[in-house]
Amino acid sequence: MRAQTKAIWMALPLTGALAVSSVQAEEVNIYSYRQPFLIEPLLEAFTAETGIEANVVYGDGLVERMETEGRNSPADVLITPNTTILMSAYNKGLTQAVDSDVLTDNIPAQYRADDNHWFGLTTRARIIYASKERVEPGEITTYEQLADPEWEGRLCTRSGKHSYNLSLFASMIAHHGEDYTREWLEGVKDNLARRPQGNDRAQVKAIYEGVCDISLGNSYYFGAMLTNQEAPEQQDWAQSVNLIFPNQDDRGAHMFISGIALSEHAPNRDNAVALMEFMVSPEAQFLYAQDNFEFPVRPGIERSELINEYMGEFKEDPLSLTTITDHVDEASRLVDEVAYDF
């Protein structure tokens, strides 16, 4: 039944007729930037437990769609892979606060909005991938060292303008200030083995091929590569690197979240809050994090066997993601000033 409802709902125009689904009893309407394989097991478990049907629209541009739909939007919740999209929805006035002890008691403060307009569901770290053959253990242990001259011609990254890098760069501003971060970015750029290109996996491939010795990448890509049966060559890429969680002797590794927010005009508000609370239940946290080799946002939840084997415990930067996001525009400007991508 849910698949049929979803198909009909997705085929409707952006406004007007979409409101039809919102009058159906016991349902929740989800706009999701995350892929189906990541959230469908959770939604099936939620429906089995509560009887509430979950209708989903997947894709990009969903914040803009919500903005266009306005009060007619059927969206109850927005699920995203990062803070940037959550903040975009928040800044456009498309979210509302949720007063829930279940959420605030189980999600650390740095991974939710100060005013409870958005909440993290899983976390991942921005780590350093290092060649097993050409980088000695302990040779690089911090983000700051990425700018050291010894790494000249040995570093690969994706575009400095990508949200993953902008978030890291923004955290550097928050910790060290703008002047330091500009100088650091200039040093990082000087150390690049090639012009920034590709995604995080492409950087690990470049290490495997000898183009560079270290790269920046999100932690969950390691599990995705190591278990990739459709492109088994990626298993070789993953096996060629060690994983370095930076700054373990001081602030800890820079963290990201996938997250969720309640729509400003949620037609099924109570059902939506029930879904949000379910998403931080022990069952949902384990399922959601394991499927993409991420870390549960709720403390004390068992992690996947692969993560335990290859990553272990590590120190997380406790800096609020709200604070980091406040510096993203500055970080983007610095990327332009140092011509990082050119």
Side-chain angles (χ1 to χ4, degrees):
M1 177 179 178
R2 191 178 81 235
Q4 182 181 12
T5 302
K6 178 172 65 177
I8 294 173
W9 190 47
M10 291 178 68
L12 294 172
L14 291 181
T15 57
L18 268 170
V20 172
S21 71
S22 68
V23 301
Q24 298 175 0
E26 298 307 313
E27 68 175 5
V28 61
N29 300 328
I30 302 159
Y31 278 10
S32 176
Y33 282 83
R34 303 223 76 180
Q35 298 177 61
F37 81 92
L38 291 174
I39 67 170
E40 284 183 351
L42 299 173
L43 300 181
E44 290 171 0
F46 171 72
T47 298
E49 180 174 308
T50 65
I52 299 171
E53 294 290 335
N55 309 313
V56 192
V57 168
Y58 296 99
D60 296 324
L62 297 175
V63 168
E64 292 75 18
R65 177 169 178 166
M66 290 171 64
E67 188 175 24
T68 300
E69 292 167 342
R71 289 186 172 274
N72 292 322
S73 178
D76 292 307
V77 296
L78 177 70
I79 294 178
T80 79
N82 56 51
T83 318
T84 303
I85 298 174
L86 289 172
M87 289 299 296
S88 175
Y90 174 80
N91 291 333
K92 293 176 183 291
L94 301 174
T95 64
Q96 61 174 296
V98 180
D99 183 13
S100 166
D101 290 341
V102 173
L103 295 175
T104 56
D105 288 350
N106 291 299
I107 302 175
Q110 70 264 35
Y111 298 135
R112 49 184 164 86
D114 296 339
D115 57 4
N116 295 330
H117 269 250
W118 52 262
F119 300 86
L121 294 177
T122 60
T123 67
R124 61 286 276 266
R126 192 87 178 138
I127 65 174
I128 297 172
Y129 288 84
S131 169
K132 287 181 178 179
E133 294 182 352
R134 301 182 299 278
V135 179
E136 294 295 326
E139 193 173 352
I140 183 168
T141 60
T142 70
Y143 298 113
E144 287 78 5
Q145 289 175 294
L146 292 169
D148 289 355
E150 70 177 281
W151 300 107
E152 183 177 359
R154 302 175 68 188
L155 170 65
C156 288
T157 76
R158 70 195 307 162
S159 169
K161 284 289 196 175
H162 192 276
S163 61
Y164 295 158
N165 281 336
L166 286 177
S167 182
L168 173 61
F169 301 163
S171 77
M172 294 293 288
I173 295 173
H175 283 295
H176 296 297
E178 185 173 316
D179 290 341
Y180 174 95
T181 304
R182 180 186 293 103
E183 183 177 351
W184 175 78
L185 270 177
E186 289 174 345
V188 173
K189 180 192 175 182
D190 289 343
N191 288 341
L192 292 173
R194 63 182 184 183
R195 180 175 173 176
Q197 59 191 263
N199 55 24
D200 282 358
R201 298 191 206 204
Q203 315 315 315
V204 180
K205 178 185 179 184
I207 292 176
Y208 173 76
E209 294 174 340
V211 175
C212 47
D213 296 339
I214 58 173
S215 72
L216 282 170
N218 284 352
S219 54
Y220 66 91
Y221 284 116
F222 179 78
M225 289 185 291
L226 193 63
T227 60
N228 195 326
Q229 299 299 321
E230 295 181 0
E233 66 275 10
Q234 293 190 13
Q235 298 176 29
D236 295 331
W237 307 349
Q239 290 168 352
S240 73
V241 296
N242 287 318
L243 310 182
I244 299 170
F245 287 79
N247 298 80
Q248 294 302 285
D249 291 333
D250 46 80
R251 65 181 180 275
H254 177 60
M255 304 299 293
F256 298 88
I257 61 166
S258 69
I260 194 167
L262 180 65
S263 170
E264 170 65 15
H265 304 295
N268 303 290
R269 190 183 192 282
D270 291 345
N271 292 345
V273 173
L275 173 63
M276 295 173 75
E277 293 179 342
F278 174 82
M279 295 286 271
V280 296
S281 68
E283 173 191 7
Q285 281 286 288
F286 177 77
L287 285 173
Y288 195 18
Q290 178 158 290
D291 284 345
N292 202 38
F293 308 104
E294 297 175 328
F295 309 112
V297 73
R298 177 172 174 164
I301 302 300
E302 183 181 357
R303 304 189 305 180
S304 73
E305 292 182 7
L306 184 146
I307 285 178
N308 287 332
E309 179 180 357
Y310 288 95
M311 302 183 192
E313 297 296 329
F314 64 93
K315 184 177 180 180
E316 304 174 11
D317 188 342
L319 190 64
S320 166
L321 295 184
T322 301
T323 299
I324 292 172
T325 304
D326 287 342
H327 293 289
V328 166
D329 287 345
E330 292 173 69
S332 180
R333 176 171 50 79
L334 292 183
V335 168
D336 289 336
E337 287 182 8
V338 304
Y340 185 89
D341 285 351
F342 301 96

